[in-house]
Amino acid sequence: MNIAALEKIALSVRALSMDAIQKANSGHPGLCLGAAELGAILYGELLRHDPSDPAWADRDRFVLSAGHGSMFLYSLLHLSGYRDMSLDEIKNFRQVGSRAAGHPEYGLAGGIEATSGPLGQGIAMAVGMAVAETMLASRFNTPSHTLVNHHTYVLVGDGCLMEGVSAEASSFAGHYGLGKLIVFYDSNKITIDGSTDIAFTEDTAKRYEAYGWQVLSGSMYDFEEIAKLVSQAKAESKKPSLIILKSIIGKGAPTKQNTADIHGSPLGAEELAAAKKGLGIEGDFYIAPEAVEYFKTRAAELKKIRESWKAEFEAWSKENPEKRKEWDQFHSGKVLPAQLPAFAQGEKIATRTAGNKALQAVAAANLNLVGGSADLKGPNAVGLPSDAGTWSAANRRGRYIHFGIREFSMAAISNGIQLHGGLRSYCATFMVFSDYLRPALRLSALMKQPVIYVFTHDSIYVGEDGPTHQPVEHLASLRVIPNVRVLRPADPEETACAWVMAMDNHSGPSCLALSRQNLTVFPKDDPDWKNTIRTGAYIVKKESGGQADLVLMATGSELGLALEAAQLALAKKPELKIRVVSVISRELFESQPAAIRETVVPPGCRVIACEAGVHSGWERWARPEDIFAIDRFGESGPAARAAEHVGFTAEKLAERCLAG
Amino acid sequence: MNIAALEKIALSVRALSMDAIQKANSGHPGLCLGAAELGAILYGELLRHDPSDPAWADRDRFVLSAGHGSMFLYSLLHLSGYRDMSLDEIKNFRQVGSRAAGHPEYGLAGGIEATSGPLGQGIAMAVGMAVAETMLASRFNTPSHTLVNHHTYVLVGDGCLMEGVSAEASSFAGHYGLGKLIVFYDSNKITIDGSTDIAFTEDTAKRYEAYGWQVLSGSMYDFEEIAKLVSQAKAESKKPSLIILKSIIGKGAPTKQNTADIHGSPLGAEELAAAKKGLGIEGDFYIAPEAVEYFKTRAAELKKIRESWKAEFEAWSKENPEKRKEWDQFHSGKVLPAQLPAFAQGEKIATRTAGNKALQAVAAANLNLVGGSADLKGPNAVGLPSDAGTWSAANRRGRYIHFGIREFSMAAISNGIQLHGGLRSYCATFMVFSDYLRPALRLSALMKQPVIYVFTHDSIYVGEDGPTHQPVEHLASLRVIPNVRVLRPADPEETACAWVMAMDNHSGPSCLALSRQNLTVFPKDDPDWKNTIRTGAYIVKKESGGQADLVLMATGSELGLALEAAQLALAKKPELKIRVVSVISRELFESQPAAIRETVVPPGCRVIACEAGVHSGWERWARPEDIFAIDRFGESGPAARAAEHVGFTAEKLAERCLAG
């Protein structure tokens, strides 16, 4: 180990971070200064990656869970040779258009493995990456060739470890024995409010031991010790490792180090000058020549490592052409067509159940689809074909994941699986508990990760479990997240389409809203509905004769209600020209050109919108009084009675149709 | 201890639960049968409460965190004499209108201390109740009179302990040494997916020790042992206690006990008959006469205990008339008027900062207002007047709470403080992280608890921190939760009003959306605006001459933008009659009678809605093209540049005004 060079790398991380943050007049120097030594050894010695090929499948992953310390990462990406992260980007830190954004953003530059900043989620995503590694290793490695064999490193701070999501993910990681997960804890005992003594005095080491982790500790400022600890972590193949590194926040800032002041504000001109003087830094955006030199050599070594992997990959490909084909399909993200289930007109099945048939078909065709539920495998109906197996410490080839009752980390882990590459992930819970995982869903959306969320029990028709389990605001609240596709199929046939639409959506997460209760397969007047539905809406029942004077727009289980109401209304007023439209995805429909929208909903025509949830968002389509919605919490009772109680019946909807 | 009677109580809990669930054909017998013995000793021996006065301030609290086992609670409430929970209610279990709802719902019956079911939140709310107890005890107890001195008991299952929110709350409780919190862990090793071995094998006892708890364990089926463990728990005054009770899920169901089948489904006629036979239960909804007899005696004892407390209370009141006045004010929920801060026209202050001035004023007048932030005391600007002090193990009288970086449990704990009675709670984080606490906010809303949520950094004007920290969908997603009042003041003066509106809102939680950036105090054309604003919206700038032909509706920081845009538009087209309306609470405004709404927004008049967030919900007021919104994630950069980047400028808004 070239300690002198590592020291110069650390120095350069400090210099770049301080200057970039000062120039931007915004940012978080605390971690960058405090953990610079870890960064130096990580990028200088430990990481098996290749800056010239950031997408190399078998690279080690590093996730900066404490994402506010983004300049730590950017400095190291630049120093180690990631071309995306030029010095100009760093000089534009936190400016519009810079790859060196306020927090690390996935997609902006090679080497950024995940968007982080929302605390606790980075470590949970890293857990997902480690899950993916085991799955791919067991599938593709052969006795003679090891193609998948890498570690996932994470850097967390006190904040990450206080968040519940990290607790869930860590319990999960311990249970499943993720031996290639190595978490560094930058233990500087300072948060924004001051000393951690104020609110966080638990024995974190003991807690992680309780999760089944190997817990090690040492000093942030002893390279040899860190190297030794990482060796120990790598040697323990059955347990994830937590390496607690005692550190000083803002180390190098003469008066502000070891105080909360240095966490999230620039040093200021005076402190910066003093820091530079103390550290022996001259000029701005200083990079030590020794660091440059060191990384030049290191880059060549790393390139060789990656090239030798490539050679092995080619040899393996020759010996295993079928596996290679599968590898390519897995890593292309391409979706293979499935033998979708068929349903008979009039058949009554819950869309969650129909969804399971579709999932099984899609999963049989796409062997890289993996996932599971937060302890609701049966109720969510998200089991995989039996030959898919259950993923566990004993069966890394399994594809079904029992996440435990840990919704938030389930979603974050699913993000991590997806980010890793090679796999497509889905996860499931009751729709009302989409709230529990919402922050991770937001990150799926922000990172444009096509995780599929299966949300069953999607309305007050949940019934007896009552308002704590009956979503009313959730369709609306999911729809407002940018890049999220909400799909609420109205019958079993639509459900099969919905699964395909979700699989084909690569621009962000999809949320399937599925019913607990049985829905009837209804006839569709649009003969081309299986294509039209991909615009978000189509005509289920066309008005008879002349132009429609009323369009009933409904989603999910309310389509059946709308059909029934239309019939009731027509019985009373046969001259009415009612059209019934199924809206499987309102956002998608709204994003269509006017010409397409107007084919389905004629402009100027009166619309009644019908959905068992809050009215919000339907105002675009219908007058407030023509939104047949539920703007209150539900009530515990058998589904039909609960719906009746809140005035949600076909009779009432028919009355609305008849009222001017 | 009358063990024979306790056994009969447990038997009656089993009988009532099995029958009610069977009759409803819905429910969760697993916990009711498995933990009946704990219920028997809890309500038969341990709880210091008075069923004839469920609101008695110094009662012990019991929270069924595993809320799906609701019949456990209902059975015991009925047996112990809570009048609300009649046998008829139990016979109507899970039917519309029954107090015996699917999950325990706060407000439906005396003795239900919290709505539970969403896992992990019950224990967190109980932590809040224990916090409140310490605060009130330190404030009202005197050397000669102890008025506040009760325990908070909780029953959790595996699910609660897997959820991250319980981890956060438990770390919090350990740190703060909540010695009067006693948590029973119904450790039956079964969840919906099967054995906990599938996904949950951590050493929970060790984990709780790491949090600083006393951890005890024993058998669910040994009354004397439970009594002994509770004595130990009570004897430890500096640490919360976790009592792990090894149990058998569904105990008494001959073939289904100890399986996942019994968790959440009725036994079925056959199993039920066999269970009854095995337990010696005859008839339906059986209650053992010994249990009735026992509780008759017990009720009299408990009434005496409460009466002797009442006598002490009266004596204390005589000696401490000032304290008594304060006690009454605290417990009435009445809000005292505050000396609100004044701001000068043209003054520039961030509304978070103005909010802090208002909070300090309101808190100075209302000594029962307590709360804090999730490690963002400074950035959220939610400090209390310095004489309020900081709550800690050493200072139970303190009112400011350092919650740590634990948003979700912060909100659940705030619910618990509020539910306890006597205190008003507030909590704070960045608006984007309202997602982290959303499930608890939903419970505030469902329980109609007037917790005040302070969400600062309320738009992309957060700037450099970037899209992970810039809310865009959050105003919309908060507004859709029933019973939630979102208040987004447009300048410092409105902010002071917003705090008063929040304090005066007793029908549910209020969310204050406050800016990071400075906003200018603007002149208001409506001379009565301080009253009009309480309708949710008022006229800031009236059109000059004639009838308005354009209304600009804006919220928060966008009001300033709207004023600027109106000026720009008028400069180009002076004949325009533009009205600018500040909408502090859209939902509130929408709930007004038409006559009031139309005074502010004339019917038929073109409206442009302006808000730095997604358009959803504004369609009621403006055509899609007239909603000046941000339907995408933001970008990292200085606030003005970030806004410009997404096309959010006064110039663009002015163009919209001028376009048809």
Side-chain angles (χ1 to χ4, degrees), chain B residues 14-328:
Chain B
R14 288 197 168 90
L16 290 174
S17 301
M18 287 190 295
D19 277 342
I21 292 166
Q22 186 66 27
K23 184 168 180 226
N25 195 26
S26 174
H28 298 73
L31 179 144
C32 309
L33 298 177
E37 277 73 8
L38 174 65
I41 192 169
L42 197 56
Y43 281 79
E45 279 275 334
L46 301 171
L47 276 185
R48 193 171 150 277
H49 64 144
D50 180 2
S52 76
D53 183 6
W56 173 29
D58 198 36
R59 70 192 181 278
D60 284 343
R61 268 65 170 176
F62 169 66
V63 177
L64 180 68
S65 191
H68 50 271
S70 53
M71 269 309 305
F72 169 91
L73 179 60
Y74 303 150
S75 302
L76 289 158
L77 292 181
H78 175 66
L79 293 169
S80 62
Y82 282 85
R83 235 161 296 160
D84 284 344
M85 197 51 70
S86 67
L87 198 56
D88 278 346
E89 298 290 348
I90 286 178
K91 287 181 178 169
N92 268 316
F93 177 56
R94 295 197 151 213
Q95 305 309 303
V96 170
S98 173
R99 297 179 193 275
H103 288 79
E105 285 184 45
Y106 179 77
L108 284 191
I112 300 176
E113 302 283 3
T115 295
S116 58
L119 293 176
Q121 290 197 63
I123 177 173
M125 288 189 278
V127 169
M129 293 175 192
V131 169
E133 198 266 355
T134 69
M135 288 176 162
L136 294 170
S138 73
R139 179 168 284 271
F140 292 111
N141 290 347
T142 60
S144 42
H145 297 290
T146 302
L147 290 187
V148 184
N149 181 23
H150 55 267
H151 285 83
T152 303
Y153 295 95
V154 191
L155 177 54
V156 300
D158 295 301
C160 287
L161 295 187
M162 276 193 254
E163 293 284 1
V165 61
S166 70
E168 290 177 14
S170 299
S171 177
F172 176 100
H175 170 80
Y176 285 111
L178 292 171
K180 285 186 182 162
L181 177 67
I182 298 175
V183 178
F184 300 103
Y185 172 17
D186 174 30
S187 179
N188 59 37
K189 301 234 162 220
I190 297 285
T191 68
I192 292 175
D193 276 2
S195 162
T196 52
D197 290 345
I198 296 174
F200 185 54
T201 50
E202 57 162 60
D203 183 344
T204 305
K206 187 169 175 179
R207 172 158 69 96
Y208 271 77
E209 281 168 14
Y211 291 141
W213 288 48
Q214 170 175 239
V215 178
L216 308 168
S217 64
S219 162
M220 178 66 84
Y221 309 115
D222 182 336
F223 290 118
E224 303 208 335
E225 190 173 36
I226 294 179
K228 203 190 74 199
L229 295 172
V230 171
S231 295
Q232 276 177 264
K234 286 185 172 175
E236 172 55 85
S237 66
K238 304 236 178 275
K239 294 177 173 187
S241 293
L242 178 71
I243 300 178
I244 303 175
L245 296 174
K246 279 170 212 81
S247 68
I248 296 166
I249 192 171
K251 188 168 196 286
T255 74
K256 293 187 173 177
Q257 71 177 22
N258 207 20
T259 74
D261 281 354
I262 196 73
H263 166 81
S265 305
L267 276 71
E270 203 178 321
E271 180 88 358
L272 177 58
K276 284 186 177 176
K277 200 174 163 198
L279 294 165
I281 295 169
E282 276 177 30
D284 293 339
F285 294 95
Y286 173 80
I287 296 173
E290 298 89 335
V292 176
E293 203 50 44
Y294 181 88
F295 274 119
K296 207 176 280 170
T297 318
R298 183 70 188 148
E301 289 164 14
L302 290 167
K303 200 169 176 191
K304 265 193 201 143
I305 291 174
R306 200 252 305 158
E307 279 167 352
S308 97
W309 179 89
K310 188 77 173 45
E312 177 131 22
F313 180 70
E314 295 305 339
W316 168 87
S317 301
K318 248 188 207 148
E319 291 168 32
N320 305 280
E322 283 308 306
K323 273 189 194 282
R324 170 60 190 268
K325 221 176 110 187
E326 193 169 275
W327 171 283
D328 287 344

